[in-house]
Amino acid sequence: MVKAVEKKSGDRHLSINEWENEAKGIISKKAFDYIARGSGEESTLHSNRAAFSDYQISHRVLRDVSKIDTGMTLFGQTISSPMLFAPIGVQTIAHPQGELASSRAAASMNLPFVLSTVSSYSMEEVAGQMKESSRWFQLYYSGNELVAESMIKRAESSGYSAIVLTVDTPIMGFRESDHINNYSPIGEGSGSGNYFTDPIFQNLLEKPIMEDREMALKKQKELFENPSVTWEAIHRIRQYTDLPILLKGIVHPEDAKLALDYKVDGLIVSNHGGRQLDHGVATLDVLEGICDVVKGELPVLLDSGVRRGSDVFKALALGACAVLIGRPFMYGLALGGEDGVMKVMEQIQNEFEVTMALAGTSTISEINKTYLVPKKPNK
Ligand SMILES: Cc1cc2nc3c(=O)[nH]c(=O)nc-3n(C[C@H](O)[C@H](O)[C@H](O)COP(=O)(O)O)c2cc1C
């Protein structure tokens, strides 16, 4: 049980926009742009936020909200709130401790940490920071089957409890700012933690990584871009592991139907935070349609644009069981390492508790669509 409206960080409350602005002041422009910006003319990026403003919360009154419990169970694990750390690669561009710091913050808050395939540190190093805390591994399905198999098996043996297959990235989105800045942190080696420690990957190289790093990075790039992945990949992942498989990047109800046919274990409604398809749909706008298809058979999570506790509330009201948060914790990481990450995530958690209390809900199972009023009549 969490006491309502308890401010844990004790610090000045900054909005996520302020965290973003302060982060902008301390990391390089190219690293900041890589984190904050979106693809194309950033239509999807902006739509994600706008969709949250299209709903208002209609509160209930005279209910006992002296105790707010945000706890829940996800894939058999009890977590303290319906919030996860989204998989974000190359975290050392924000702070030298990268995923080591953010995963420690996740562990101390008892929130699941989703580690990216292109993390700066290896999955084993990150696991070493987290002890028994909940962690999932995000997979970009490698162009080399043996490397894909190896990464999945390494994840299972180092205590990751789910595989998140990202499906909205057959190729990289066109991110104008990275082109203008001529910047590719993956190409520069900030996302090699899992590749360079992989024995199967190492065997594909003509020379040891220490002797020819450029060649190793070239090989990583070749395997990373894999536009021929299809639904059959799910069958192959099943052969390699018994862990639950989630698909991240679902926005179309027809794909949700296929996901049921392929017997995946969960869906993440996501558009990669507006970094992939520009002029794509906002995730909040498609959430209900996906939940209608899934009919409670699978957990449905959502990300892209979650910035406030009220956003978490709205996503849950429209059918998500939990949300993932991306850029906000990266701003905290840039500003204060592990401590900064904690502050950002605690702030969103505090806001969520305040929202729940003021809406008249004391447990997350009470949150449903009756608490929302669309601003636009056709929603
Ligand atoms: C800098 C950055 C790197 C990312 N790297 C990955 C990644 O490696 N794998 C992945 O599935 N998603 C990646 N994402 C997308 C996030 O997992 C998530 O979908 C998105 O950030 C959510 O939107 P938000 O930032 O608005 O919260 C990345 C996002 C950012 C901002």
Side-chain angles (χ1 to χ4, degrees):
M1 291 289 241
V2 181
K3 194 168 174 291
V5 200
E6 187 186 8
K7 185 101 172 62
K8 298 182 193 87
S9 73
D11 280 9
R12 185 166 67 95
H13 185 107
L14 297 177
S15 71
I16 299 301
N17 283 346
E18 287 170 305
W19 278 99
E20 179 175 341
N21 277 336
E22 297 211 358
K24 191 175 187 173
I26 68 158
I27 55 176
S28 70
K29 178 180 170 0
K30 59 187 182 176
F32 176 80
D33 285 351
Y34 183 82
I35 296 165
R37 304 290 302 273
S39 57
E41 61 178 310
E42 303 189 328
S43 164
T44 312
L45 182 75
H46 296 299
S47 299
N48 282 335
R49 280 305 298 143
F52 284 97
S53 301
D54 287 346
Y55 285 96
Q56 298 159 314
I57 300 168
S58 178
H59 66 265
R60 302 297 308 272
V61 298
L62 295 176
R63 291 170 165 192
D64 181 355
V65 290
S66 54
K67 292 266 189 299
I68 300 296
D69 184 0
T70 61
M72 67 172 296
T73 305
L74 198 52
F75 296 111
Q77 288 179 313
T78 304
I79 57 174
S80 54
S81 189
M83 305 194 321
L84 293 82
F85 284 62
I88 295 224
V90 298
Q91 291 189 22
T92 50
I93 68 172
H95 188 279
Q97 284 266 305
E99 297 86 4
L100 303 181
S102 52
S103 64
R104 282 197 300 267
S108 49
M109 290 183 74
N110 188 25
L111 298 178
F113 183 79
V114 189
L115 183 76
S116 164
T117 297
V118 285
S119 51
S120 305
Y121 290 94
S122 73
M123 58 183 107
E124 290 82 5
E125 288 171 299
V126 171
Q129 306 293 308
M130 295 194 73
K131 303 194 175 74
E132 299 309 310
S133 301
S134 176
R135 50 187 177 270
W136 300 356
F137 180 66
Q138 176 268 323
L139 182 71
Y140 283 124
Y141 208 93
S142 172
N144 179 297
E145 191 60 34
L146 294 174
V147 172
E149 177 182 359
S150 172
M151 287 208 188
I152 294 164
K153 291 187 168 165
R154 283 171 61 198
E156 184 164 0
S157 59
S158 48
Y160 293 78
S161 57
I163 300 293
V164 175
L165 178 67
T166 295
V167 291
D168 59 10
T169 312
I171 58 170
M172 291 285 259
F174 186 77
R175 300 171 198 159
E176 287 179 5
S177 53
D178 299 340
H179 284 266
I180 292 165
N181 295 333
N182 191 20
Y183 184 54
S184 165
I186 299 177
E188 290 175 6
S190 300
S192 299
N194 291 318
Y195 286 93
F196 283 12
T197 51
D198 193 280
I200 306 292
F201 177 80
Q202 289 167 358
N203 282 343
L204 299 173
L205 303 173
E206 281 162 24
K207 289 185 191 166
I209 294 161
M210 298 286 273
E211 282 175 31
D212 197 344
R213 194 164 178 275
E214 283 312 306
M215 189 53 80
L217 284 171
K218 213 172 138 209
K219 183 54 111 184
Q220 177 182 333
K221 184 171 189 295
E222 191 186 306
L223 302 188
F224 173 73
E225 285 175 0
N226 188 9
S228 58
V229 178
T230 66
W231 290 87
E232 295 310 311
I234 296 161
H235 291 319
R236 294 201 296 278
I237 298 173
R238 282 264 180 256
Q239 287 169 12
Y240 305 142
T241 181
D242 294 328
L243 295 177
I245 300 170
L246 293 93
L247 299 185
K248 172 175 181 279
I250 296 290
V251 294
H252 201 296
E254 291 298 324
D255 281 335
K257 279 187 201 155
L258 277 170
L260 290 175
D261 293 344
Y262 277 84
K263 300 198 182 341
V264 301
D265 302 285
L267 298 181
I268 303 177
V269 176
S270 170
N271 55 32
H272 223 102
R275 298 165 68 80
Q276 284 297 109
L277 176 67
D278 194 25
H279 290 273
V281 283
T283 52
L284 198 73
D285 284 342
V286 294
L287 177 60
E288 260 193 296
I290 303 274
C291 293
D292 286 348
V293 168
V294 169
K295 293 191 177 58
E297 283 184 45
L298 306 173
V300 176
L301 293 81
L302 172 136
D303 76 18
S304 301
V306 177
R307 297 290 177 272
R308 288 200 170 267
S310 53
D311 300 336
V312 183
F313 188 96
K314 290 175 187 180
L316 265 57
L318 290 171
C321 69
V323 299
L324 291 81
I325 292 168
R327 294 180 182 88
F329 84 76
M330 287 294 281
Y331 303 138
L333 181 65
L335 282 164
E338 178 183 346
D339 195 41
V341 174
M342 293 268 291
K343 283 185 178 140
V344 167
M345 295 299 275
E346 281 180 352
Q347 177 176 314
I348 299 173
Q349 167 70 12
N350 284 331
E351 284 185 8
F352 180 46
E353 291 174 24
V354 172
T355 306
M356 281 181 66
L358 294 180
T361 53
S362 52
T363 61
I364 59 173
S365 59
E366 291 165 56
I367 302 172
N368 61 45
K369 214 189 154 187
T370 63
Y371 289 90
L372 293 191
V373 175
K375 267 192 199 162
K376 293 180 187 163
N378 61 348
K379 284 233 174 186

